[in-house]
Amino acid sequence: MYPQRTGLILWVSDSRHTKQLEKFGTIHYVSKRMHYVVLYVNSDRAEEATKAIQKLSFVKKIERSYRNEIRTEYNSNVPDKANLYT
């Protein structure tokens, strides 16, 4: 089975140094215009990776992605309004 992954959004001062981030995880996207990198790391090593990445000189700010915490199972408790218009 696949390991649980956590997304990190890294705001960088220069996008030329993003190659160095590959040793921490998988680079998903690099925005050269807005200067950020989306990096996926294993959840069990996310804290360690965040501390190590923060020490890099070209990293300005690190934000954690909340995508895996969003509920994706929906229930339809709302009554169907299609019957009202027939």
Side-chain angles (χ1 to χ4, degrees), residues 12-69:
V12 295
S13 59
D14 193 7
S15 60
R16 286 183 289 168
H17 303 290
T18 56
K19 191 84 168 162
Q20 296 178 19
L21 298 172
E22 288 181 347
K23 63 182 174 183
F24 298 106
T26 305
I27 295 177
H28 180 71
Y29 182 73
V30 177
S31 173
K32 293 182 179 179
R33 184 170 152 224
M34 295 190 58
H35 300 290
Y36 72 90
V37 178
V38 178
L39 179 77
Y40 283 98
V41 297
N42 290 344
S43 293
D44 54 347
R45 297 195 60 232
E47 285 295 322
E48 301 165 9
T50 304
K51 290 177 185 176
I53 291 170
Q54 190 65 43
K55 293 179 183 177
L56 297 174
S57 62
F58 61 92
V59 176
K60 292 180 183 177
K61 181 178 166 185
I62 299 175
E63 296 178 8
R64 190 172 55 88
S65 173
Y66 296 104
R67 183 174 183 205
N68 55 353
E69 297 175 11

Side-chain angles (χ1 to χ4, degrees), residues 3 9-10 13 25 29-30 34 52 56 70 73-75 78 83-84:
I9 295 90
L10 311 171
S13 59
Y29 182 73
V30 177
M34 295 190 58
L56 297 174
I70 296 175
E73 298 155 1
Y74 305 104
N75 53 3
V78 180
N83 295 334
L84 298 175

